[in-house]
Amino acid sequence: MPEENSSRPVYRIGQLSRLTGVKEGTIRFYEQCGFMGPVERTPNNYRLYQGRHIYQVRVCRLVFGGFVNRRLRRESRKVLDASVRWDMEAYGEAAANYQRAVEEDIHRTRKAIAICLEQMGQAAKEDIRYSKKQAAAMVGVTPEAVRNWERNGLLGQYEPYQKRFYGQTLLNRMYVIRLLLDTGYSMMAIKSFMQECDGGQPKNAERLLVSPEDSEELRYRSDRYLEALLHLREKTRQLCELKAEMEKVF
């Protein structure tokens, strides 16, 4: 049973652990990292947690283990920060944005897998041209990331001091680059992959992406990444649903 403190229920760390299903050491880690609000102490230095801490631990449990890429890590951190401040308006907005970002990544990843395994190296219809900023937003990266890909030779030849536009062929290439980076391939491996695709050798390209340490094929690795995103989708749904419960806690 919880202890009473100023008419509000309070909990020892063991009780909080049982209520949340999170180990005591992990709860202490969340607290040390600043992912929980201030915790009172007894004269004997025992921690006394309140109702808010139950939900802050639950938020941490849903957020941690869901880091799939840098963008989603940034979005999930906003959820944590709002939870720590107990700002329910900011929390609802951050959780919704996090959920939206995951859905966008699922869509982009499915598209990239299809391009990577079926269309890579094929010319696309070039009736629309996008600026660097527009293309980066469509792929879900920053313009600086696109510039870095260009400096590393991943986007083919171009005049460095001339304004560049991006058609569907380059967009397809960018979707694939992002997928490969997110699944852990190096810039050098991706560059070699692109060169083989450009040379009309998609089978050779796929073989280049098989790690010497393990025999995972590109399709399996990509599918596993998509599976992680789909698992994350469920976590973001739960984070959004928590808001209604958290609003009842004072």
Side-chain angles (χ1 to χ4, degrees):
M1 292 292 294
E3 300 179 15
E4 293 294 325
N5 182 32
S6 302
S7 76
R8 291 184 183 179
V10 293
Y11 308 87
R12 294 286 182 90
I13 192 167
Q15 295 168 319
L16 185 62
S17 176
R18 288 190 294 274
L19 284 168
T20 59
V22 176
K23 294 180 180 179
E24 294 182 17
T26 303
I27 292 173
R28 293 190 189 95
F29 170 75
Y30 293 159
E31 185 184 342
Q32 290 166 3
C33 290
F35 299 138
M36 297 172 62
V39 178
E40 295 181 13
R41 300 263 185 161
T42 68
N44 293 331
N45 208 32
Y46 287 108
R47 293 172 171 85
L48 293 178
Y49 298 92
Q50 298 180 12
R52 291 184 179 186
H53 296 119
I54 295 174
Y55 288 94
Q56 288 169 344
V57 171
R58 291 175 66 183
V59 168
C60 287
R61 187 179 189 184
L62 288 168
V63 167
F64 282 91
F67 297 150
V68 177
N69 58 50
R70 290 180 181 178
R71 181 196 178 204
L72 296 183
R73 183 182 289 112
R74 288 195 301 270
E75 294 298 328
S76 67
R77 183 57 192 262
K78 294 174 186 176
V79 177
L80 285 173
D81 291 344
S83 171
V84 172
R85 301 195 312 273
W86 207 252
D87 184 335
M88 290 300 99
E89 183 177 354
Y91 176 87
E93 182 179 352
N97 288 340
Y98 185 28
Q99 186 177 47
R100 190 178 305 112
V102 170
E103 291 295 338
E104 289 172 355
D105 272 13
I106 289 171
H107 171 74
R108 292 186 182 113
T109 299
R110 282 175 169 157
K111 184 169 185 175
I113 289 172
I115 294 168
C116 194
L117 300 175
E118 298 169 16
Q119 304 172 31
M120 197 61 207
Q122 300 177 17
K125 189 176 181 180
E126 302 290 354
D127 54 344
I128 301 178
R129 300 197 308 169
Y130 302 96
S131 68
K132 186 189 286 348
K133 184 176 180 180
Q134 290 172 324
M138 293 175 71
V139 177
V141 297
T142 64
E144 178 55 38
V146 176
R147 282 189 284 271
N148 187 42
W149 297 350
E150 289 173 333
R151 287 192 292 266
N152 281 277
L154 301 183
L155 295 180
Q157 299 296 319
Y158 73 104
E159 295 295 330
Y161 300 106
Q162 189 174 18
K163 187 174 178 63
R164 190 178 195 185
F165 292 94
Y166 302 79
Q168 193 59 52
T169 299
L170 270 180
L171 270 179
N172 287 353
R173 196 179 185 101
M174 289 163 65
Y175 278 118
V176 171
I177 291 169
R178 184 191 163 173
L179 171 66
L180 297 179
L181 286 171
D182 283 345
T183 52
Y185 290 105
S186 68
M187 285 282 192
M188 287 299 296
I190 297 170
K191 184 174 182 179
S192 298
F193 172 80
M194 293 297 178
Q195 288 172 344
E196 291 293 336
C197 286
D198 292 342
Q201 301 294 329
K203 291 298 182 184
N204 289 345
E206 185 171 341
R207 279 195 291 271
L208 284 170
L209 296 184
V210 176
S211 168
E213 289 78 23
D214 60 58
S215 58
E216 288 181 335
E217 294 182 357
L218 177 59
R219 181 183 295 276
Y220 175 65
R221 205 168 196 177
S222 301
D223 286 348
R224 197 169 64 174
Y225 179 71
L226 179 58
E227 182 181 350
L229 282 172
L230 294 173
H231 182 63
L232 189 54
R233 168 195 272 171
E234 172 59 20
K235 290 187 174 184
T236 60
R237 182 190 66 78
Q238 293 179 46
L239 284 167
C240 289
E241 290 181 349
L242 274 182
K243 179 175 180 287
E245 297 181 35
M246 293 166 73
E247 287 175 330
K248 299 175 184 177
V249 179
F250 297 97

